[in-house]
DNA sequence: CAATCATATTCCCATATGGGCATATGTCAA
DNA sequence: TTGACATATGCCCATATGGGAATATGATTG
């Protein structure tokens, strides 16, 4: 029997993986270039184990790739996994535009009334 | 003293709020129209308390709005909060395109070699 | 006010999480 | 092989989470 999970495993879901601010920051950092763990840790101001753990999560959902380079292990971005997220949110684009339009209309209306 | 948080509170972060598949489904459902809790619960096949809890999270991060309508409380989508997510992922668009291009190139190369 | 329908909240549980720390594993050089 | 550096893991903790069940709170109607 498998018990009910309290929440989808972070290791299997890109949405969950990027729910962590530090991981988002790491992805942004890797946008520049591939980097060894120590570099990530330093740039992000975190301990090495912490960086490794976050990188592991990112690797498991496929957002980063790693390769050995001498003693170092270089992590690089693989942004393809972000595409579904972008597309999912994109499915709401016209709704946030609608909201915006409504707000604008409201603001215009206010201004009109005030000017009378 | 405030103890270290194990993870950013779901109630304060849109990224975290949409990390839950059911909440994403609720947002998609509300894209159609505003709906009472009972409706959401039924459509999603979940109990009422569960629906209420998810809706609460969504409300607290500003992704939904609610208004009283008789005995019912109607929830409606406010997609504006999804925009930052869309934009953040959009910042990686050229990278996933790059990856795609590289993959394509690789595939082409494979095909070329095989045809020789 | 009482009864009823709709929703929110509370309490409890099992599990997932992030972080620290110590330590294992891996890689290369001498 | 040994030593050094680089990274990954394991263990432990405090906290957050989703879910269920029972119950409180709200709103409406009679």
């Amino acid at each position: 029997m498998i018990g009910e999970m309290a929440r989808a495993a972070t290791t299997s879901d890109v949405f969950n993986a990027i729910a962590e601010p530090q991981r988002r920051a790491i992805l942004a950092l890797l946008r520049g270039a591939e980097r060894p763990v120590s570099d990530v840790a330093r740039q992000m101001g975190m301990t090495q184990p912490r960086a490794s753990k976050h990188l592991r999560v990112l690797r498991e959902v496929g957002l980063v790739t790693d390769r050995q380079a001498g003693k170092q292990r270089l992590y690089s971005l693989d942004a393809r996994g972000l595409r579904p997220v972008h597309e999912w949110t994109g499915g709401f684009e016209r709704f946030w535009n609608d909201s915006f339009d409504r707000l604008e209309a409201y603001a215009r209306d206010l201004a009109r009334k005030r000017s009378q």
Side-chain angles (χ1 to χ4, degrees), chain A residues 17-80:
Chain A
I18 65 170
E20 234 294 331
Q22 304 182 86
R23 284 197 288 265
R24 290 201 295 279
I26 290 179
L27 290 177
L29 179 64
L30 293 181
R31 200 164 35 185
E34 66 179 353
R35 278 186 160 71
V37 177
S38 51
D39 232 60
V40 174
R42 183 155 24 79
Q43 301 280 335
M44 307 283 311
M46 52 174 76
T47 64
Q48 173 268 312
R50 202 158 125 195
S52 280
K53 285 173 184 172
H54 282 309
L55 285 167
R56 178 183 184 172
V57 172
L58 292 172
R59 179 178 4 114
E60 282 176 338
V61 299
L63 286 173
V64 301
T65 311
D66 63 300
R67 71 183 181 86
Q68 198 72 31
K71 296 181 193 173
Q72 299 184 315
R73 180 169 293 254
L74 300 180
Y75 279 84
S76 51
L77 176 67
D78 182 349
R80 282 173 294 168

Side-chain angles (χ1 to χ4, degrees), chain A residues 92-110:
Chain A
F92 292 85
E93 186 160 11
R94 77 182 187 81
F95 293 96
W96 71 62
N97 282 333
D98 281 4
S99 308
F100 187 66
D101 291 349
R102 273 200 295 272
L103 268 186
E104 269 199 331
Y106 177 67
R108 265 201 307 279
D109 199 50
L110 266 188

